[in-house]
Structures are given as structure tokens and as C-alpha cells.
Amino acid sequence: NRLFIRFRQTLEYHYRHMHTVKEYANHLNVSVKTLTNSVGASSCSTPLKIINDKSILEAKRQLCYTDLKIKEIAFRLGFDEPSYFLKFFKRQTGILPAEFRVL
């Protein structure tokens, strides 16, 4: 599915700045429903889950392979407030970023 491929490519370049399905749909000039249906048909997942998974993957990489402070990682990933990043990470993984870094 071309739309799914375009979505994945767009995600690779814009995951630090775009965090919602609506932003990606607008960027791809399609409706949220069209994007959701296309992604669901191609991956058995939702665009939001794929977006969140990419953000978490990048956060984990930075936590493991850099000495950046957690708030610096949060800002690099496009979070306006470090507290938003902490809540997002905890909701997605079940642990805090500092706990993940120790593992």
C-alpha cells in the first residue's frame, strides 16, 4: 500500500516534530480515517500505535546509548515539557525512563 509506505517514510523524518495522526494525515493530504484504514489494512495496527512505538524506540536508544539527561532527550523528541515525556514513557513501557536506563 503506497499510503502506508509514505506514512512510514514521513514518520522516519518527522517523528521528532509530529506526534498525532492528524498531523501525519494533513502532511500526506488524506483524511485521518483514510490513513487509519490504510495503516490498519497494511499492518494490523493503528497509526497512533506506530507513532508511539517509534517515539519509544528512539527514547530507549537515547537512554541506552547516550549520556543525555532525560529532559534533553524529551526536548530532542519534541516534548515541550519533560513531565509529558515521563508520563508518556511510563504509560507506554510501564517504567520511568530513569528506571529503564538502569536496566
Side-chain angles (χ1 to χ4, degrees), residues 4 7-8 11 24 27 34 44 49 62 73 83 92 100:
F4 177 67
F7 167 68
R8 294 298 303 238
L11 179 62
Y24 284 95
H27 185 80
T34 299
C44 298
K49 178 157 177 26
Q62 291 188 28
I73 293 171
S83 62
Q92 297 294 318
F100 178 83

Side-chain angles (χ1 to χ4, degrees), residues 3-97:
L3 180 57
F4 177 67
I5 292 168
R6 286 178 45 223
F7 167 68
R8 294 298 303 238
Q9 290 170 340
T10 303
L11 179 62
E12 285 299 316
Y13 290 104
H14 297 287
Y15 69 90
R16 292 180 181 183
H17 311 290
M18 296 176 9
H19 298 118
T20 67
V21 178
K22 185 176 182 179
E23 290 173 315
Y24 284 95
N26 289 340
H27 185 80
L28 295 168
N29 296 318
V30 297
S31 70
V32 170
K33 185 175 182 177
T34 299
L35 180 59
T36 301
N37 290 341
S38 175
V39 170
S42 297
S43 70
C44 298
S45 188
T46 66
L48 184 60
K49 178 157 177 26
I50 292 172
I51 294 165
N52 289 345
D53 288 349
K54 175 65 176 171
S55 294
I56 289 298
L57 177 64
E58 291 303 320
K60 287 178 176 180
R61 283 182 181 156
Q62 291 188 28
L63 287 165
C64 286
Y65 300 114
T66 70
D67 292 329
L68 294 172
K69 294 179 182 179
I70 292 171
K71 70 178 186 177
E72 292 173 312
I73 293 171
F75 290 128
R76 283 184 174 209
L77 292 175
F79 289 86
D80 295 332
E81 292 290 329
S83 62
Y84 297 155
F85 172 69
L86 294 175
K87 290 175 189 174
F88 172 76
F89 194 92
K90 172 88 178 197
R91 191 178 30 216
Q92 297 294 318
T93 65
I95 59 175
L96 293 169

